């Protein structure tokens, strides 16, 4: 038999009701009592009966996180941060992989597995506005990522234009003038790639330069191979770039590989900046300068927003949808400054988003 509430109560020297209050996060419990009960729970390995909890409260204690690509280190890092944030609210996270396909994203957002979960955090790639507007009543939904939607759901996303401008300004300040952008997209203008391209263009114009269309390379995807193919194309130009701003770190790593194969020095011949601050970028032959979204803040804000809506329930006054902008920094490494000490640069004045607030609050 498993460990029961009575077993925990005996170990902690309290009543079964007190243990139940702690397990269900009842607020009016003395800190010392809560700590004693939690210690007993940890020592005995007690796990609440999810089925009984669901029948009693109408909630499962499970939230879902749906991302397009679990193999992408950024989404793996984000998933880990969401799991940690949810644990603070005593919720378990169910991971779902959509492969960035509209049919999968629609299925998830429309309530697939809704009987299992209390709420959903979704990072969409192909989902359209009409898919969200036609969503039936169901568990609360919070959106992640930089696609822009006109739909009544909380949305957590960094300012891609400001982040891109920060990266390009860094390159311009280093004296680079032929700055390429790798990772443009041909489809919907609401894609984050278009926002990062817009930031690239705006910052070059601000510095008095002329954005060159031949230095913008569209890619089929956002992996190392896409960056390698794009970098090969750029180096074959009559006037190749002296710097590259890549859509993400994986694309940048592919570009770095081709530069090494061509015998070009980084950053002396070509400087490279990525986006996402994945771990692989820190440990290559040349460590990668990158824009670092505050992934911990993104996860915490998303979970806080979702829990707020779960606890509000369907019968309370509606909460207006919120769009919250977590912060970002530029992490300067060898791919732009050589073997100098790494540094973190906050977003430049006028370009930055505000630092992420301490909870899910109206902006």
């Amino acid at each position: 038999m498993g460990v029961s509430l009575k077993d925990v109560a005996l170990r902690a020297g309290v009543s079964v009701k007190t243990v139940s209050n702690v397990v269900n996060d009842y607020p009016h419990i003395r800190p010392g009592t809560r700590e004693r009960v939690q210690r007993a729970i940890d020592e005995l390995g007690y796990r609440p009966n999810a089925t009984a909890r669901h029948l009693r409260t109408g909630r499962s204690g499970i939230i879902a996180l749906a991302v397009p690509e679990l193999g992408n280190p950024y989404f793996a890092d984000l998933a880990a941060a969401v799991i940690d944030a949810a644990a603070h609210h005593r919720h378990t996270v169910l991971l779902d992989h959509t492969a960035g396909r509209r049919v999968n994203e629609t299925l998830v957002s429309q309530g697939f597995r809704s009987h299992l979960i209390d709420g959903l955090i979704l990072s969409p790639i192909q989902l359209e506005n009409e898919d969200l507007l036609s969503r039936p009543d169901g568990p609360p939904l919070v959106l992640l990522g930089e696609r822009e939607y006109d739909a009544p759901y909380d949305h957590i996303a960094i300012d891609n234009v400001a982040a891109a401008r920060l990266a390009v300004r860094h390159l311009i300040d280093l004296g680079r003038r032929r700055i390429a952008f790798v990772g443009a997209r041909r489809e919907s203008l609401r894609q984050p790639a278009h926002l990062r391209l817009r930031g690239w263009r705006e910052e070059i114009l601000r510095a008095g330069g002329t954005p060159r269309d031949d230095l913008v390379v569209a890619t089929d995807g956002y992996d190392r191979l896409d960056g390698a193919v794009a970098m090969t194309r750029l180096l074959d130009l009559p006037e190749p770039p002296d710097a590259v701003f890549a859509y993400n770190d994986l694309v940048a790593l592919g570009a770095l590989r081709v530069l090494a194969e061509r015998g070009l020095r980084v950053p002396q011949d070509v400087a490279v900046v990525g986006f996402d601050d994945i771990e692989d970028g820190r440990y290559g032959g040349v460590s990668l300068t990158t824009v670092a979204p505050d992934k911990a803040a993104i996860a915490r804000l998303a979970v806080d927003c979702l829990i707020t809506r779960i606890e509000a329930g369907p019968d309370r006054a509606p909460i207006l949808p919120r769009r919250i902008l977590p912060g970002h920094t530029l992490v300067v490494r060898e791919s732009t400054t050589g073997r100098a000490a790494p540094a973190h640069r906050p977003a430049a004045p006028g370009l930055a988003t505000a630092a992420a607030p301490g909870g899910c609050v109206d902006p």
Side-chain angles (χ1 to χ4, degrees):
M1 291 181 60
V3 178
S4 68
L5 285 177
K6 184 177 180 180
D7 297 327
V8 175
L10 288 172
R11 173 66 67 94
V14 299
S15 69
V16 172
K17 178 63 174 175
T18 298
V19 175
S20 177
N21 287 340
V22 171
V23 169
N24 290 290
D25 209 20
Y26 185 71
H28 304 299
I29 299 175
R30 288 194 299 273
T33 301
R34 185 184 297 276
E35 181 180 349
R36 191 162 71 253
V37 171
Q38 187 59 54
R39 185 165 56 248
I41 288 172
D42 294 340
E43 290 172 353
L44 295 173
Y46 172 73
R47 293 292 180 269
N49 186 315
T51 302
R53 178 181 178 184
H54 184 67
L55 291 173
R56 184 176 64 255
T57 66
R59 299 175 189 167
S60 65
I62 300 172
I63 63 175
L65 170 66
V67 296
E69 189 180 356
L70 279 172
N72 184 313
Y74 172 79
F75 290 113
D77 290 347
L78 185 63
V82 168
I83 290 169
D84 287 344
H88 286 291
H89 295 276
R90 299 180 183 275
H91 273 68
T92 300
V93 178
L94 172 68
L95 292 178
D96 211 331
H97 177 239
T98 66
R101 295 179 183 144
R102 184 178 178 184
V103 62
N104 295 340
E105 293 174 350
T106 302
L107 187 65
V108 169
S109 67
Q110 296 288 337
F112 179 57
R113 297 196 181 102
S114 61
H115 62 292
L116 296 175
I117 63 174
D118 296 332
L120 168 66
I121 299 171
L122 171 63
S123 180
I125 298 293
Q126 297 294 338
L127 199 69
E128 294 295 339
N129 212 64
E130 56 265 29
D131 300 323
L132 289 170
L133 293 177
S134 64
R135 183 176 186 256
D137 291 337
L141 168 67
V142 172
L143 298 171
L144 296 182
E146 289 71 37
R147 286 207 62 174
E148 296 176 354
Y149 294 99
D150 183 18
Y153 299 104
D154 295 331
H155 192 169
I156 316 296
I158 70 166
D159 186 335
N160 272 272
V161 175
R165 292 188 64 176
L166 176 63
V168 175
R169 176 174 291 186
H170 171 62
L171 292 168
I172 291 172
D173 288 346
L174 293 172
R176 308 297 169 144
R177 294 297 177 264
R178 301 187 308 278
I179 302 172
F181 178 73
V182 175
R185 300 295 276 185
R186 303 176 182 88
E187 64 268 19
S188 172
L189 292 177
R190 292 178 299 177
Q191 290 275 5
H194 291 280
L195 299 175
R196 294 176 195 178
L197 177 60
R198 176 181 151 196
W200 169 88
R201 191 178 304 278
E202 287 182 0
E203 194 57 28
I204 291 174
L205 290 170
R206 183 207 62 82
T210 301
R212 285 174 44 185
D213 289 340
D214 63 329
L215 293 182
V216 177
V217 182
T219 57
D220 294 327
Y222 295 127
D223 212 332
R224 298 167 183 83
L225 177 59
D226 301 288
V229 171
M231 193 72 246
T232 299
R233 175 178 163 185
L234 286 168
L235 292 179
D236 289 341
L237 292 174
E239 192 178 17
D242 60 4
V244 171
F245 171 44
Y247 172 82
N248 69 8
D249 286 352
L250 293 178
V251 170
L253 291 173
L256 287 172
R257 176 65 186 180
V258 169
L259 289 168
E261 290 174 350
R262 292 286 189 100
L264 294 169
R265 300 167 301 165
V266 177
Q268 293 89 337
D269 299 320
V270 183
V272 179
V273 177
F275 205 110
D276 286 344
D277 192 25
I278 66 172
E279 188 174 14
D280 284 0
R282 305 170 203 169
Y283 297 104
V286 177
S287 61
L288 180 63
T289 294
T290 184
V291 175
D294 191 339
K295 286 173 270 193
I298 292 170
R300 173 176 50 77
L301 289 164
V303 171
D304 285 353
C305 284
L306 193 64
I307 296 297
T308 296
R309 293 192 176 277
I310 290 170
E311 293 181 346
D315 300 326
R316 297 192 185 181
I319 305 171
L320 293 176
R322 294 148 291 193
R323 181 172 174 83
I324 303 176
L325 303 176
H328 59 270
T329 57
L330 182 70
V331 183
V332 179
R333 298 194 182 105
E334 295 167 353
S335 67
T336 57
T337 59
R339 297 199 178 272
H344 291 256
R345 297 190 180 185
L351 300 183
T353 61
C360 186
V361 298
D362 292 326

